[in-house]
Amino acid sequence: ETLGQTAPKPKSTQTKKVSKKAPVGKITKFPNVTANNPPTNNNVKIDPFENKMGTLTQGVPKEAIFTILNTTSKPLVLKDVKGGCGCTSTEYSKEPIPPGHSTTFKAVYDAASAGDFSKSVKVTTNFDSEPIMVIISGKVVPKAKKSND
């Protein structure tokens, strides 16, 4: 038996950028949870489920902001927010979110190639063993070539 021992800390990844005071992590009271805005699961609601980023320029990073609402009676903690590929980085706060309050997190997509895209972002909380998946999508256009006038 291993009482008193702690589990090893997970290795960090290059796609995770954690800021202790993430500017996107401001906690606010969430005004209108209704039947028209159902939670993603029984513990949280993430809005939007799919963040349609529109048209992006190849090689120019663009951020998508998501709002996560704590629909439980206990504090919610974002344990991990991770992009599904190396082209997606994330920023989020690990500050506890009180019941009935929300915070934001962001995913930044930096496209290496042109074309339509749809990428997943995995959100892991202290309530769920399986991550909640949200989507960023859009279209990447080639960077304009400079003319030699």
Side-chain angles (χ1 to χ4, degrees):
E1 202 167 280
T2 58
L3 292 176
Q5 293 183 354
T6 58
K9 292 184 179 180
K11 292 181 180 177
S12 63
T13 64
Q14 289 183 335
T15 60
K16 184 168 85 170
K17 294 180 182 174
V18 178
S19 171
K20 291 200 189 288
K21 293 184 180 176
V24 296
K26 184 178 180 202
I27 296 172
T28 56
K29 181 78 174 156
F30 202 83
N32 29 341
V33 178
T34 66
N36 294 332
N37 295 322
T40 303
N41 68 17
N42 292 330
N43 298 317
V44 301
K45 172 189 160 66
I46 301 177
D47 187 49
F49 165 72
E50 180 177 1
N51 195 314
K52 296 178 180 175
M53 300 174 73
T55 302
L56 288 72
T57 302
Q58 182 179 354
V60 179
K62 187 171 181 180
E63 66 183 41
I65 304 290
F66 293 87
T67 300
I68 184 166
L69 167 68
N70 180 358
T71 60
T72 72
S73 60
K74 296 178 182 169
L76 167 72
V77 176
L78 298 178
K79 290 170 61 177
D80 195 23
V81 178
K82 188 175 187 177
C85 65
C87 53
T88 306
S89 61
T90 62
E91 186 177 323
Y92 63 102
S93 172
K94 290 192 173 188
E95 292 295 316
I97 305 161
H101 286 72
S102 64
T103 190
T104 55
F105 63 90
K106 75 178 163 184
V108 180
Y109 185 66
D110 188 359
S113 57
D116 293 335
F117 72 92
S118 180
K119 301 290 182 183
S120 65
V121 177
K122 296 177 185 179
V123 180
T124 306
T125 73
N126 57 317
F127 296 131
D128 302 296
S129 57
E130 290 295 315
I132 302 161
M133 303 287 275
V134 293
I135 306 294
I136 56 173
S137 64
K139 181 174 184 163
V140 179
V141 295
K143 190 181 258 186
K145 293 182 179 167
K146 294 180 181 177
S147 61
N148 294 333
D149 291 337

